[in-house]
Amino acid sequence: MYDVIVVGARVSGAATALLLARRGHRVLLLDRASFPSPTSSSTNLIHPPGVQRLSAWGVLDRLAERTGPPITRYRLQTGPVRLEAPLPEVEGVGYALSPPRLTLDEALVRCAVEAGAELREGVSVQELRRDADGTVTGVTGVAKGAGRFTERAALVVGADGKNSTVARLAGARAYRDEPVLSKSSWTYWEGLPHEGLVRTYRDGRRHPFTWPTHDGLTIVGTAWPADRFPARTSAEETDRTVLDAFERADPEFAERLRATRRADRWLTGAVPNFLRVPHGPGWALTGDAGATRDPITASGITYGLLGAELLAEAAHSALAGQESMDRTLARYARERDLLMTDHYDYTRDYARVAEHSPEERALIGAMSRSPRHARDMIGLFATALPPARFYTRAGFRDLFDYLDDDAGLPPRIRLLRLLLHGPPSPLAAAPAALADRLLARGLGPMGQLLLRSRRPQAAPPRTRRMEGTPR
C-alpha cells in the first residue's frame, strides 16, 4: 500500500510527488505518457514565485542552460500609455524564466523519482476504489503491456489536467466557471535580441505579447476575445494578422519582427475557466485539475507549483499523524482558494480583452509615474502580489497623487480626486465599504476588481516552503 497515489506526472503532479517523497512518504506517480513527452501548447512562462520554488527544490539545476535568459522586467502598454517596471523579488528571486516544457516536465519527473517516488508510465486510470463509507482508497487502471492493476493508498491526488479523470470519477463540482474567454495564436521567432522583457499590449481589443524564451528564441503572439478570434486559413495569413496587431500597438517592434523570421508553426491556445472543489474523502485535486484559468496571464505553471506545495504540506500533516486527513484537506481547500481566487478573477477580467476606459488609462498612466504602483501592478500580473494587496482604497487614494493634469483627465477622475483630496465630503466620512463602492463606480472594470478584492487582512498567507532532503 502507498501513502499517496498521484495521477498525472507533469508540473503539479510531479511537484507534489517530489515534495512528499522527500518527506519520506511512499508515493506512486502515474501518467498516460512516457517521459520525455511533449504536451499541449504552453507558452512556458514561469513567474518569480514559481522560479523560486524550482530553485529551492533543486529542479533548476537540472535545466542548466535550457532555462533561457532571465526576464527581469514586464511592460503593459495601452494606447499611448506605457507602464514598465522591474519584477518584485520573491524570497530573493526577482526574475521569470521560459524554459521548454519538455525539459521542465522531464526535470520535475526525474527529481521526483530520485527523491523516492515510483513512476509508472503508459498507465490509464479507469476507476477509483472506495470503502463502504465511500472514502477513496485507491485506483484501478490499465498499464500498457501489463494489463489491469489495482493499487491502494491513503490519498489519491488528481493532477491530470483540466479534463481530469480523477475529478470526473470523484464527482468534483466546478464553480465560478465560465467558457473560453480569449483565444491566442503564438509561435517561436528567431533573430530578435533578448532584452529580459515581457511586452504586453492592449489595442483594438487585441492583446499582442512577446518575451524571450529558450535556445535563442522569442515567443510572439496575440490574443483576441473568443468571439473575435480570426479564422485561420494559412500560416502566412496568421503572420500578417499577428504582425498587423503589433504594427498598431508598437510599430518600432513590428519592424524588428519583419526584419527577422518565424521559426516554428503557429499554435492556438484557449481554455475554459473554472474552479473545482479540490478535495473529498480520500482524494484531492491540484494544478489544472482543480483550477484552470485563461492563459492570458501565463500563470498556469506558477500556480501549478504553488498549489502542489500547499497540497504536499497538507498531506504530510495527515500522513505524519499530526491531524486527520479530512481536516488537513479542508485546510488545503481554504488555503488554495485564498491563494488563487482573486488572481483567477483578475485573469478572467483580463481575458475579456476589453478596451481600457479613459479612466483606466489615466490610472495606468499614474502608475507609470509611481515606482511603487508600477512595481506592484507588474507584481500583480506576475502572481508575486495578491490582488487584495493592490486593489485597495488606500492604494488608489495614493495613486491619485500621480495623475497627469497636463495630459487631460477624464471628468470622472477629476471628480473622484476632488472627493478624495478636496474639502470634507460624504466620501470622506463614509464607512469604508460605502467609500469603496463610490470610488469603484467611477473606474469601470478596474473598479469592479477593487470592489471584489478582499480587505488586506484577508490576503492569503505566504505558503510554507517545502524543501526537505532527498532520501
Side-chain angles (χ1 to χ4, degrees):
M1 177 166 173
Y2 295 91
D3 296 316
V4 181
I5 296 173
V6 180
V7 182
R10 297 197 185 272
V11 169
S12 57
T16 302
L18 164 65
L19 295 173
L20 286 170
R22 282 188 178 171
R23 291 292 189 98
H25 302 296
R26 191 176 182 215
V27 180
L28 175 61
L29 184 58
L30 307 175
D31 202 283
R32 291 176 178 268
S34 296
F35 292 87
S37 169
T39 184
S40 58
S41 61
S42 168
T43 50
N44 311 344
L45 190 61
I46 310 173
H47 298 303
V51 175
Q52 187 276 324
R53 267 56 175 194
L54 292 175
S55 177
W57 301 340
V59 180
L60 283 189
D61 295 338
R62 278 189 168 271
L63 296 176
E65 71 279 0
R66 297 301 305 283
T67 59
I71 300 168
T72 58
R73 302 180 69 85
Y74 285 13
R75 176 189 295 171
L76 164 65
Q77 185 166 330
T78 171
V81 177
R82 176 181 290 184
L83 183 157
E84 183 179 322
L87 286 164
E89 287 194 357
V90 176
E91 298 187 44
V93 174
Y95 60 93
L97 293 173
S98 183
R101 268 302 300 270
L102 188 73
T103 305
L104 175 63
D105 289 350
E106 171 76 358
L108 277 163
V109 165
R110 298 309 163 202
C111 283
V113 170
E114 289 175 6
E118 178 185 338
L119 173 66
R120 292 189 198 172
E121 303 166 274
V123 168
S124 174
V125 170
Q126 298 180 329
E127 298 176 36
L128 296 180
R129 309 299 297 178
R130 300 177 186 268
D131 65 14
D133 296 328
T135 299
V136 171
T137 59
V139 301
T140 294
V142 175
K144 191 178 298 183
R148 193 171 177 82
F149 70 92
T150 295
E151 297 291 357
R152 298 173 61 231
L155 176 67
V156 173
V157 172
D160 46 343
K162 63 181 182 295
N163 299 316
S164 169
T165 297
V166 173
R168 175 177 57 81
L169 294 173
R173 177 180 58 85
Y175 59 100
R176 299 177 80 118
D177 50 321
E178 286 194 64
V180 170
L181 295 172
S182 80
K183 292 185 178 181
S184 60
S185 290
W186 67 273
T187 190
Y188 294 104
W189 217 266
E190 64 182 6
L192 292 168
H194 288 172
E195 301 170 294
L197 174 67
V198 168
R199 292 178 173 85
T200 64
Y201 306 86
R202 183 63 54 87
D203 182 86
R205 300 211 68 191
R206 293 181 289 189
H207 175 79
F209 56 88
T210 178
W211 59 80
T213 186
H214 52 88
D215 301 324
L217 300 172
T218 299
I219 284 177
V220 173
T222 299
W224 292 262
D227 59 357
R228 295 193 175 200
F229 185 70
R232 288 180 55 172
T233 57
S234 68
E236 290 72 22
E237 185 169 348
T238 304
D239 288 344
R240 290 191 293 271
T241 301
V242 172
L243 284 170
D244 178 63
F246 276 97
E247 181 66 45
R248 285 189 44 158
D250 190 342
E252 179 183 347
F253 188 75
E255 278 302 307
R256 294 161 67 179
L257 288 175
R258 295 184 193 281
T260 50
R261 72 185 188 91
R262 175 166 54 85
D264 206 340
R265 64 189 177 93
W266 286 103
L267 299 169
T268 299
V271 299
N273 301 268
F274 60 81
L275 301 174
R276 284 192 179 116
V277 174
H279 77 102
W283 61 270
L285 304 176
T286 190
D288 283 348
T292 294
R293 85 289 295 150
D294 194 284
I296 200 164
T297 54
S299 57
I301 294 175
T302 301
Y303 275 123
L305 297 169
L306 299 183
E309 183 178 56
L310 285 179
L311 179 55
E313 178 67 30
H316 170 70
S317 294
L319 295 169
Q322 298 170 7
E323 55 186 324
S324 71
M325 185 67 77
D326 287 344
R327 182 184 295 272
T328 194
L329 290 181
R331 187 184 73 247
Y332 159 68
R334 292 191 299 270
E335 291 183 349
R336 187 209 70 162
D337 279 357
L338 280 173
L339 174 69
M340 295 185 183
T341 299
D342 279 354
H343 199 273
Y344 171 82
D345 287 341
Y346 165 76
T347 297
R348 287 190 304 170
D349 282 317
Y350 209 83
R352 300 181 199 283
V353 199
E355 283 291 343
H356 287 122
S357 68
E359 292 79 15
E360 288 177 301
R361 282 189 175 175
L363 290 177
I364 293 170
M367 292 173 200
S368 72
R369 289 180 288 277
S370 165
R372 176 175 70 87
H373 286 92
R375 182 196 66 236
D376 287 353
M377 182 65 172
I378 293 305
L380 167 63
F381 184 91
T383 72
L385 184 78
R389 294 180 186 167
F390 181 80
Y391 286 103
T392 65
R393 183 170 179 259
F396 273 68
R397 184 185 184 105
D398 293 342
L399 181 60
F400 272 64
D401 292 335
Y402 293 90
L403 290 168
D404 184 5
D405 287 273
D406 293 338
L409 297 177
R412 282 186 183 178
I413 291 293
R414 291 184 181 276
L415 176 60
L416 285 170
R417 184 172 60 180
L418 178 64
L419 291 171
L420 286 168
H421 296 300
S425 68
L427 180 62
L434 175 59
D436 281 350
R437 288 196 296 273
L438 291 171
L439 175 61
R441 282 175 185 170
L443 302 182
M446 191 177 285
Q448 296 306 308
L449 283 165
L450 177 62
L451 278 179
R452 286 206 303 271
S453 289
R454 298 180 177 89
R455 296 287 177 193
Q457 61 267 26
R462 298 183 69 85
T463 58
R464 290 159 287 193
R465 280 202 299 130
M466 293 188 67
E467 296 183 27
T469 54
R471 358 179 244 185

